[in-house]
Amino acid sequence: QVQLVESGGGLVQAGGSLRLSCAASGTNINYMGWYRQAPGKQRELVASFTSTGNTYYQDSVKGRFTISRDNAKNTVYLQMNSLKPDDTAVYTCYAQAILQRFWGQGTQVTVSS
C-alpha cells in the first residue's frame, strides 16, 4: 500500500510561484506525477515522470512548471512559476505502482488576477 501526502497549495497572485510537494510512503513505486481539476472541467494530466524516466508536460504549462523528484525521500515536486488564473484547480499527485495507481488527497491552488 502507498500513501501520498501533499503540501504546498495556496493562494497566489498571477505571475507568482508555488511549489507543491508529494511524499510517498511505501515501496515499488514506478513513477509519480500530478493531475489537476478545475471546477466544471475534466481532470487533466499536468506533469509526470514516465515509466522510461522521461518527463511529460501538458502544453499549457511547458516552460512554466517543472517536475522534479528526490528518490531518497520518495518525494515529487511541482515548481509552478508564472502562474495564471487558468491554473486554478485542485492538484493531485499520483504514484504508479506495478499493478495499481495511488492518489493523494489533493491540494487547492488558486491564482488571483
Side-chain angles (χ1 to χ4, degrees):
Q1 196 75 2
V2 175
Q3 290 185 326
L4 304 175
V5 178
E6 300 164 356
S7 61
L11 173 64
V12 64
Q13 287 188 330
S17 298
L18 285 174
R19 189 176 83 151
L20 306 182
S21 300
C22 178
S25 64
T27 59
N28 297 319
I29 297 171
N30 289 341
Y31 56 91
M32 298 173 68
W34 294 90
Y35 278 81
R36 70 183 179 186
Q37 187 167 22
K41 295 186 178 181
Q42 289 188 333
R43 186 175 62 185
E44 57 185 7
L45 181 62
V46 178
S48 177
F49 288 99
T50 70
S51 59
T52 57
N54 295 319
T55 54
Y56 162 85
Y57 293 97
Q58 184 192 104
D59 284 346
S60 68
V61 307
K62 286 181 180 177
R64 300 188 298 121
F65 290 11
T66 303
I67 189 170
S68 62
R69 60 190 172 188
D70 184 333
N71 290 331
K73 296 181 179 180
N74 244 6
T75 299
V76 66
Y77 305 95
L78 186 65
Q79 178 66 43
M80 306 184 294
N81 299 328
S82 302
L83 282 161
K84 305 175 181 179
D86 283 349
D87 295 318
T88 295
V90 175
Y91 286 70
T92 304
C93 75
Y94 76 91
Q96 182 66 49
I98 295 175
L99 297 176
Q100 191 172 355
R101 177 167 289 189
F102 298 89
W103 296 93
Q105 79 279 8
T107 185
Q108 177 70 46
V109 172
T110 303
V111 184
S112 63
S113 57

